[in-house]
Amino acid sequence: MPFATLFSSPTEGVADVWLCIGAIFIGPVIEETMFRGVLLRGLLTRYSATSRL
């Protein structure tokens, strides 16, 4: 099999690159903000402002 047929289009792997960038960088940021929001909301409802100090 010739090497040129392995990579038929130069833009074919662009979607894979963006998927990897999203999984590595964007995913953890979104996950962290979601869980911090849930955790913060839970702590704020459980404890008063004076007991947190």
Side-chain angles (χ1 to χ4, degrees):
M1 175 180 295
F3 185 75
T5 58
L6 292 175
F7 304 103
S8 59
S9 173
T11 60
E12 189 173 306
V14 172
D16 295 335
V17 170
W18 284 111
L19 179 65
C20 289
I21 288 173
I24 293 171
F25 295 109
I26 299 170
V29 170
I30 291 173
E31 178 190 9
E32 189 69 27
T33 55
M34 283 182 2
F35 280 115
R36 280 192 192 211
V38 169
L39 184 65
L40 179 64
R41 192 175 309 121
L43 288 173
L44 287 175
T45 58
R46 184 175 298 232
Y47 301 107
S48 66
T50 56
S51 68
R52 286 183 278 150
L53 295 175

